């Protein structure tokens, strides 16, 4: 019997699954509500339901690839344990000082900073490393013991140790960690040189604090998941999806949970990269709209972009991650009128519990999904393929009472307004993602997925000025499908400031060899065969005096000049100038220790002949009541084109084609929408 690989994407509202038959390459989609109190419960329910529907034994599952928002949600909702910081004496306020970045530069007061550890739980110890790794002041172990006792007295159960220049020499951090663990055997301890061994004290400290505080959260979840899997008779290994799009083992995830902060969205970005090649569309704006969030990633020249730093709720995270912009604009985003008469949508969400009013789970606040139901765009009897019956009257009542009445509008225009405001938020996020890279929306197609994405894709594309939208197969679970393409990845880094010229090559060779030895050991621990290992290297380069870097590939240390030329080209593309006569600096050397896993084969697709529409219904679109043709997605085959207004339904998603748009089928099974008149209005 063939084996199965399961990819699971646990979102704020729904848990999405893709069950891959590894022998045939056929993947099956399934979706169940998320269980916020214990996400592992929804995961197990989803696997059981999917296996029962497919008539397969869960014992055939060979591996589970798991994307999760547990780390992100814990930070956003501040469901974190009490933490303490042990830092070099005189540097305990690094977290609070930050970078002096102010969103309102002319305000007479700076906005409050996101601060996870108060000053009362930050303690200094006597020690000092220089930037070259030499010892300025030896570690005073008595001061470490005193700091550990103060941590214990404060009630903190997670400890971040972040010493000055520990990336250059971790000896003091290692000894301090041993002392803290000796005095606080039950504490969760995280050292900065293990989490983010790079320059920039504030970002490294912030990342280490996040990691320490997330350790008990993620380990508790993984323990529950392991127990539930055992109870369900599933012995397959679990791999956690990381922010960089790769996967890792639960052991590594428990030690470095900060690497999971963009776990779920990275699967969608990876799927878009795969589809860019499959569709022959090298430039894609990938938008994933679920019940809680809206995630934007860019595929440019066929590749997604990795960045070395992001942030979660204003908290810097200095780790490699796929570049994704996330805003609170999902189907569950709550709509309301404020005291000034403005219509606001999001970022707060109704989530899975209670969810939108139309879910009949006790929700009272109108959401974007309720607006779409009130506008007739969602068939209440076919939501989730008919698995959930929606309350249309409740959705209309909520829009009328909570939005229309306060704004002095009729319910129809009020629902239009909710959708329009949500669309404006989405378009703004896309523009930022493109314009900050100097990219033009007209050079891109928008690829829309997530359960709610298809209802807003064409309007969003028109808003940003692109006239082409791709609706991939299984859009409601595409992020889970993208996870099937993840490899085991360990991100290693060493910060070494040096000039990028021929004199740097010997030291660079030694550093790459050091990283390679560490990478080999990690992949051997993961059980990756030597033939399946890869070790790509990148350099973070900058011009002297700059405070930012650009990453470029390094084929081998002897080819450093090629990397320097690539840096000049990249700087010219990104900032419209290059100082080619200047020798740049190497700031950080990075290696992605990669263990290649078996990837899904080509997805079989048998194009059906063009069918007939399943019916028609009146919907409100483009500001008026109109009759829209209703199509089953499977009925739209080669040679058939559908003109808007139209609704295309499938079990886990609904697509809206506004007036002025035309839909055709792609040979891969994707549907392509193009503008036929004006901006699609």
């Amino acid at each position: 019997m063939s084996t199965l690989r399961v990819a699971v994407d646990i979102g704020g509202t729904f848990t999405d699954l893709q069950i891959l038959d590894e022998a045939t390459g056929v993947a099956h989609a399934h979706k169940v509500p998320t269980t916020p109190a214990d996400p592992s419960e929804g995961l197990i329910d989803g696997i059981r339901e999917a296996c029962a529907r497919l008539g397969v034994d869960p014992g055939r599952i060979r591996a589970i690839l798991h994307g999760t928002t547990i780390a992100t949600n814990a930070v956003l909702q501040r469901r974190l344990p009490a933490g303490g910081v042990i830092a070099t004496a005189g540097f305990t306020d690094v977290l609070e000082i930050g970078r002096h970045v102010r969103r309102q530069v002319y305000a007479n007061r700076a906005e409050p900073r996101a601060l996870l550890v108060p000053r009362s739980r930050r303690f200094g110890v006597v020690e000092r490393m220089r930037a070259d790794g030499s010892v300025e002041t030896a570690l005073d172990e008595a001061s470490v013991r005193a700091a550990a006792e103060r941590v214990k007295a404060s009630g903190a159960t997670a400890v971040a140790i972040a010493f000055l220049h520990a990336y250059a020499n971790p000896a003091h951090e290692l000894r301090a960690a041993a002392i803290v663990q000796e005095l606080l055997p039950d504490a969760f301890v995280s050292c900065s040189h293990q989490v983010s061994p790079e320059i920039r004290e504030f970002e490294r400290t912030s990342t280490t604090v996040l990691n320490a505080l997330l350790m008990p959260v993620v380990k508790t979840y993984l323990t529950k998941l392991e127990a539930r899997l055992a109870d369900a008779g599933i012995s397959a290994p679990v791999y956690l999806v990381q922010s960089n799009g790769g996967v890792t083992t639960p052991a590594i995830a428990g030690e470095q949970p900060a690497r999971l902060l963009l776990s779920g969205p990275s699967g969608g970005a990876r799927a878009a990269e795969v589809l860019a090649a499959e569709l022959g569309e090298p430039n894609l704006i990938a938008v994933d709209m679920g019940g809680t969030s809206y995630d934007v990633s860019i595929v440019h020249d066929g590749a997604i972009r990795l960045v070395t730093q992001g942030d979660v709720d204003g908290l810097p995270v200095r780790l490699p991650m796929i570049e994704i912009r996330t805003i609170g604009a999902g189907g569950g985003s709550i709509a309301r009128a404020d005291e000034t008469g403005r219509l606001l949508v999001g970022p707060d969400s109704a989530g899975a519990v209670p969810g939108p009013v139309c879910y009949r789970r006790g929700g009272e606040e109108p959401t974007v999904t309720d607006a779409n139901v009130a506008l007739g765009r969602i068939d209440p009897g076919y939501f989730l393929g008919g698995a959930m019956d929606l309350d249309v009257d409740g959705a209309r009542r909520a829009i009328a009472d909570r939005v229309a009445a306060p704004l002095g509008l009729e319910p129809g225009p009020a629902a239009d307004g909710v959708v329009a405001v949500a669309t404006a938020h989405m378009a703004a996020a896309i523009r930022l993602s493109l314009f900050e890279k100097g990219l033009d929306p007209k050079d891109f197609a928008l690829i829309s997925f997530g359960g709610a994405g298809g209802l807003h894709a064409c309007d969003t594309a028109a808003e940003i000025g692109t006239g082409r939208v791709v609706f991939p197969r299984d859009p409601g679970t595409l992020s889970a499908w993208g996870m099937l393409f993840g490899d085991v990845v360990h991100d290693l880094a060493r910060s070494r400031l040096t000039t990028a010229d021929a004199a740097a090559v010997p030291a660079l060779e030694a550093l790459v060899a050091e990283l390679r030895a560490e990478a080999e050991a990690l992949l051997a621990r993961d059980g990756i065969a030597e033939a399946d290992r890869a070790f790509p290297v990148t350099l973070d380069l900058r011009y002297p005096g700059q405070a930012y870097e650009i990453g470029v590939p390094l084929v081998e240390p002897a080819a450093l000049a090629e990397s320097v030329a690539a840096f000049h080209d990249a700087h010219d593309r990104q900032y419209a100038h290059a100082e080619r006569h200047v020798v740049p600096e190497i700031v950080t050397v990075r290696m992605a220790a990669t263990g290649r896993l078996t990837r899904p084969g080509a997805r079989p697709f048998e194009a059906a002949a063009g069918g007939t529409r399943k019916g028609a219904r009146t919907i409100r679109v483009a500001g008026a009541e109109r009759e829209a043709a209703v199509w089953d997605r499977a009925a739209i085959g080669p040679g058939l084109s559908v003109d808007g207004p139209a609704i295309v339904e499938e079990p886990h998603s609904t697509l809206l084609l506004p007036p002025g748009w035309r839909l055709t089928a792609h040979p891969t099974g994707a549907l392509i929408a193009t503008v036929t008149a004006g901006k699609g209005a």
Side-chain angles (χ1 to χ4, degrees), residues 246-267:
V247 299
T248 191
T249 62
I252 297 295
E255 295 168 4
Q256 299 196 5
R259 296 184 183 275
L260 306 181
L261 282 166
L262 289 180
S263 173
S266 67

Side-chain angles (χ1 to χ4, degrees), residues 454-630:
L455 288 164
H456 303 266
C458 291
D459 286 340
T460 305
E463 183 82 12
I464 65 172
T466 185
R468 186 173 172 83
V469 176
V470 178
F471 297 104
R473 294 161 59 185
D474 291 329
T477 58
L478 194 76
S479 288
W481 180 75
M483 292 172 186
L484 296 171
F485 292 84
D487 295 320
V488 173
V489 178
H490 299 278
D491 288 308
L492 309 178
R494 296 287 189 278
S495 284
R496 297 289 188 273
L497 283 170
T498 184
T499 304
D501 55 17
V505 171
L508 192 57
E509 288 176 337
L511 190 53
V512 169
E514 178 187 328
L515 289 170
R516 175 67 179 262
E518 184 179 344
E520 292 276 16
L522 287 168
L523 294 177
R525 185 176 74 170
D526 292 335
I528 303 296
E530 289 189 16
D532 295 325
R533 300 176 190 175
F535 307 93
V537 177
T538 59
L539 301 179
D540 288 359
L541 300 182
R542 70 183 182 190
Y543 291 125
Q546 286 183 328
Y548 55 88
E549 300 86 46
I550 295 177
V552 293
L554 176 71
V555 177
E556 59 179 352
L560 176 59
E562 296 177 13
S563 297
V564 170
F567 165 75
H568 290 310
D569 292 341
H571 199 284
D572 194 24
R573 283 194 305 272
Q574 191 159 338
Y575 299 106
H577 73 95
E579 308 296 326
R580 298 182 186 274
H581 63 285
V582 175
V583 179
E585 295 176 333
I586 299 173
V587 178
T588 301
V589 181
R590 302 181 186 279
M591 179 177 287
T594 305
R596 290 183 287 259
L597 300 179
T598 304
R599 295 198 167 194
R603 291 190 292 173
F605 177 72
E606 296 181 6
T612 58
R613 68 184 193 178
K614 63 191 290 188
R617 70 171 178 264
T618 299
I619 67 172
R620 186 176 174 88
V621 62
E625 303 283 337
R626 304 170 190 260
E627 183 177 274
V630 179

Side-chain angles (χ1 to χ4, degrees), residues 462 467 643-644 658-662 674-681:
D643 289 325
W661 288 79
R662 177 169 294 157
T674 52
V675 170
T676 60
K679 285 183 66 180

Side-chain angles (χ1 to χ4, degrees), residues 324-355:
I324 298 171
R325 175 168 271 107
T326 298
I327 63 171
S333 293
I334 294 171
R336 63 201 178 280
D338 72 2
E339 61 276 5
T340 67
R342 287 189 307 162
L343 174 58
L344 305 178
V345 180
D348 47 328
S349 171
V353 179

Side-chain angles (χ1 to χ4, degrees), residues 171-235:
H172 288 179
E173 281 196 351
L174 287 169
R175 179 56 188 148
I179 293 171
V180 172
Q181 208 74 76
E182 174 190 331
L183 296 176
L184 286 76
D186 296 327
F188 293 89
V189 179
S190 182
C191 293
S192 74
H193 76 275
Q194 295 169 333
V195 179
S196 181
E198 303 181 37
I199 64 167
R200 294 194 173 89
E201 199 72 10
F202 168 52
E203 289 80 4
R204 182 160 55 88
T205 302
S206 173
T207 306
T208 307
V209 168
L210 276 168
N211 196 75
L213 297 180
L214 287 170
M215 288 172 75
V217 175
V218 171
K219 285 190 175 181
T220 298
Y221 171 72
L222 292 176
T223 300
K224 287 183 180 179
L225 177 60
E226 182 182 5
R228 287 191 180 278
L229 288 170
D231 290 343
I234 300 172
S235 58

Side-chain angles (χ1 to χ4, degrees), residues 58-433:
R60 289 171 53 190
I61 298 173
R62 187 177 69 86
I64 298 173
L65 308 181
H66 180 9
T68 175
T69 57
I70 184 125
T72 310
N73 290 343
V75 175
L76 294 177
Q77 299 170 21
R78 297 296 192 263
R79 291 187 286 104
L80 298 166
V85 172
I86 296 178
T88 304
F91 290 83
T92 53
D93 289 330
V94 163
L95 277 181
E96 204 152 351
I97 295 170
R99 287 286 171 199
H100 290 235
V101 175
R102 296 175 63 168
R103 295 185 181 90
Q104 303 294 332
V105 294
Y106 296 111
N108 60 5
R109 292 189 182 186
E111 62 275 0
R113 296 190 181 279
L115 196 61
L116 297 181
V117 180
R119 200 175 199 202
S120 60
R121 294 205 299 268
R122 303 196 301 263
F123 310 104
V125 301
V126 177
E127 72 85 37
R128 185 71 176 259
M129 286 287 180
R130 299 189 182 98
D132 63 0
S134 60
V135 177
E136 168 92 6
T137 302
L139 178 68
D140 183 340
E141 295 193 3
S143 70
V144 177
R145 293 181 183 278
E149 292 293 348
R150 294 178 69 188
V151 168
K152 184 177 182 180
S154 75
T157 57
V159 184
I161 300 177
F163 290 164
L164 195 66
H165 300 306
Y167 62 86
N169 183 346
H172 288 179
E173 281 196 351
L174 287 169
R175 179 56 188 148
I179 293 171
V180 172
Q181 208 74 76
E182 174 190 331
L183 296 176
L184 286 76
D186 296 327
F188 293 89
V189 179
S190 182
C191 293
S192 74
H193 76 275
Q194 295 169 333
V195 179
S196 181
E198 303 181 37
I199 64 167
R200 294 194 173 89
E201 199 72 10
F202 168 52
E203 289 80 4
R204 182 160 55 88
T205 302
S206 173
T207 306
T208 307
V209 168
L210 276 168
N211 196 75
L213 297 180
L214 287 170
M215 288 172 75
V217 175
V218 171
K219 285 190 175 181
T220 298
Y221 171 72
L222 292 176
T223 300
K224 287 183 180 179
L225 177 60
E226 182 182 5
R228 287 191 180 278
L229 288 170
D231 290 343
I234 300 172
S235 58
V238 175
Y239 295 93
L240 280 298
V241 179
Q242 302 177 97
S243 303
N244 60 15
V247 299
T248 191
T249 62
I252 297 295
E255 295 168 4
Q256 299 196 5
R259 296 184 183 275
L260 306 181
L261 282 166
L262 289 180
S263 173
S266 67
R270 183 67 69 193
E273 184 180 56
V274 173
L275 290 173
E278 188 177 298
L279 296 165
E281 295 271 6
N283 294 334
L284 291 173
I285 304 163
V287 295
D288 179 1
M289 183 179 179
T292 305
S293 64
Y294 188 80
D295 305 313
V296 180
S297 54
I298 304 298
V299 180
H300 186 221
D301 291 336
I304 52 180
R305 183 184 181 191
L306 282 173
V307 294
T308 57
Q309 181 174 312
D311 74 82
V312 177
D313 198 27
L315 301 162
V317 182
R318 186 76 178 173
L319 292 170
M321 59 184 66
I322 294 174
E323 188 176 36
I324 298 171
R325 175 168 271 107
T326 298
I327 63 171
S333 293
I334 294 171
R336 63 201 178 280
D338 72 2
E339 61 276 5
T340 67
R342 287 189 307 162
L343 174 58
L344 305 178
V345 180
D348 47 328
S349 171
V353 179
V357 176
C358 61
Y359 283 10
R360 304 179 191 271
R361 292 179 178 165
E364 297 179 353
E365 300 288 343
T367 66
V368 174
T369 295
D370 291 312
N372 279 308
V373 169
L375 293 169
R377 299 175 180 183
I378 298 175
D379 183 348
Y382 193 65
F383 193 71
L384 293 184
M388 182 184 290
D389 181 47
L390 300 182
D391 181 1
V392 179
D393 291 338
R396 289 174 175 163
R397 212 166 30 246
I399 294 289
D401 294 345
R402 303 293 182 99
V403 179
L407 297 178
L409 297 174
E410 293 297 318
D416 283 340
V418 171
V419 172
V421 171
T423 299
H425 290 329
M426 299 171 205
I430 293 172
R431 288 193 191 98
L432 279 174
S433 296

